[in-house]
Amino acid sequence: MDGGEVPADDSKAAIAHGGDLDAARRLFPEAPEPWLDLSTGINPVPYPLPPFEASALHRLPSPGDLARLKAAAAAAYGAPGADHVVAAPGTQILIETLPRLRPPCRVAVVGPTYAEHAAAWTRSGHAVRMVDDPAEAGNAEVLVAVSPNNPDGRVFSTTALGCAGAGLVVLDQAFADLEPVEAVSPRPGLVVLRSFGKTYGLAGIRLGFALAEPALARRIETALGPWAVSGPAIVAGLAALPDAAWRREAAAARAQDAARLDRMIGRAGGRLVGGTALFRTAEFSDGPGLFRALGEAGIYVRRFAESPSRLRFGLPPDKAAWCRLSRVLK
């Protein structure tokens, strides 16, 4: 098979997520190394973590360590207190856990969006349907929305979500930290998910948070079990979460990067669909062809089985990467 040819049996499962460079290498085995991975929405300029004590690796985290992390998260995300915060090894496990805390019910997911929300509720036996807008939730008992949405960047107000009438609203704000969106505080019937790894460019740390009323927060913590968050993740969270100045600077810098990427996409004939400061989604007259051209050059972007003309681009990390992308888009 030619190195630039996408296999005929390439499945939706193979492109369900970004970040899988093994899949990229299988698709384009002759592409130059190292790969430039633009298939995720992770901050390409990570938070400058200070060195941490080796004891963070040698011992189990203490309850005091976890309490300090939750207090830092409450302050950073505007929660009333640490008792409203659940710390977890990434938001993905929270997406998996929440459906297990309810008996089977009717769930509406506002989409198209991150596919794991619908998949997790379906795996737990719930009746899931996709809707285009929160107002279409109908008699759903649970409403799930991502705001800003992935991949189109749509933002939903808490008023609009509340008017849907669901007993529980799950609001995934994984991309909110660097955006000018309203701060959402947990309240009865509302759970807010926040991602640490995307904002701080430290996805490998595996850290995320749920903001919820204390009773529900305790149920989620119980379901996760003891020592859910590692010592190094706690150290990273305690260093980065209080640093509001870094977040402001990162938000301004990534917004400039996103505008630069928009211009490059436009020159390549793309029509911007939306995005956030960490990714941009665009339509192209020949999306599959551009995906192949990028792949043959060792650049991996996010594509969508249901919308072949669309591609999603993360932000290049440095000048060399920007130039590499520009050469293909020209």
Side-chain angles (χ1 to χ4, degrees):
M1 178 180 290
D2 181 80
E5 181 182 355
V6 178
D9 62 349
D10 185 41
S11 66
K12 289 184 180 181
I15 57 174
H17 304 288
D20 187 353
L21 289 183
D22 290 337
R25 292 185 177 99
R26 288 193 297 270
L27 289 171
F28 304 104
E30 298 179 12
E33 297 276 354
W35 275 85
L36 173 58
D37 186 8
L38 303 182
S39 66
T40 69
I42 297 169
N43 191 339
V45 183
Y47 185 83
L49 283 179
F52 58 84
E53 297 286 341
S55 61
L57 296 170
H58 299 164
R59 64 177 178 84
L60 289 171
S62 72
D65 295 333
L66 183 60
R68 285 188 288 276
L69 175 65
K70 290 165 62 176
Y77 299 134
D83 58 342
H84 288 72
V85 177
V86 179
T91 51
Q92 180 61 45
I93 192 62
L94 295 167
I95 291 170
E96 293 283 344
T97 299
L98 285 169
R100 300 172 187 160
L101 302 182
R102 295 178 67 95
C105 66
R106 298 179 299 276
V107 179
V109 178
V110 183
T113 192
Y114 181 51
E116 284 298 331
H117 283 289
W121 287 92
T122 299
R123 282 192 292 268
S124 291
H126 301 274
V128 178
R129 63 187 180 91
M130 303 299 296
V131 298
D132 293 327
D133 188 89
E136 300 171 7
N139 64 350
E141 297 159 270
V142 176
L143 175 65
V144 181
V146 180
S147 181
N149 188 44
N150 171 17
D152 58 20
R154 284 188 297 167
V155 174
F156 305 103
S157 70
T158 52
T159 300
L161 297 174
C163 289
L168 175 67
V169 174
V170 179
L171 177 59
D172 183 344
Q173 289 201 304
F175 291 99
D177 285 351
L178 304 184
E179 301 295 318
V181 297
E182 65 175 320
V184 179
S185 184
R187 60 174 185 262
L190 175 66
V191 177
V192 182
L193 306 182
R194 301 298 291 256
S195 171
F196 179 87
K198 290 181 177 64
T199 299
Y200 296 96
L202 299 169
I205 285 288
R206 304 312 301 139
L207 181 60
F209 299 92
L211 313 180
E213 283 295 291
L216 179 53
R218 288 192 296 271
R219 289 188 65 203
I220 299 171
E221 284 188 331
T222 299
L224 293 176
W227 305 299
V229 179
S230 71
I234 291 176
V235 171
L238 288 174
L241 287 168
D243 197 342
W246 183 90
R247 281 196 301 278
R248 288 192 297 270
E249 292 169 2
R254 299 296 79 76
Q256 291 178 355
D257 289 343
R260 179 181 182 181
L261 184 54
D262 288 349
R263 293 191 293 272
M264 292 175 64
I265 289 171
R267 288 195 295 269
R271 181 181 70 83
L272 188 67
V273 173
T276 71
L278 293 178
F279 67 83
R280 313 303 282 172
T281 301
E283 288 189 346
F284 296 87
S285 59
D286 184 10
L290 180 56
F291 177 82
R292 284 193 295 272
L294 289 162
E296 289 167 355
I299 301 172
Y300 196 38
V301 298
R302 179 74 163 85
R303 57 181 174 156
F304 304 93
E306 67 280 7
S307 301
S309 63
R310 290 189 176 187
L311 297 176
R312 195 192 72 184
F313 296 75
L315 302 178
D318 51 38
K319 180 179 180 180
W322 280 103
C323 292
R324 189 174 171 186
L325 176 62
S326 179
R327 285 194 293 270
V328 179
L329 291 183
K330 285 181 178 178

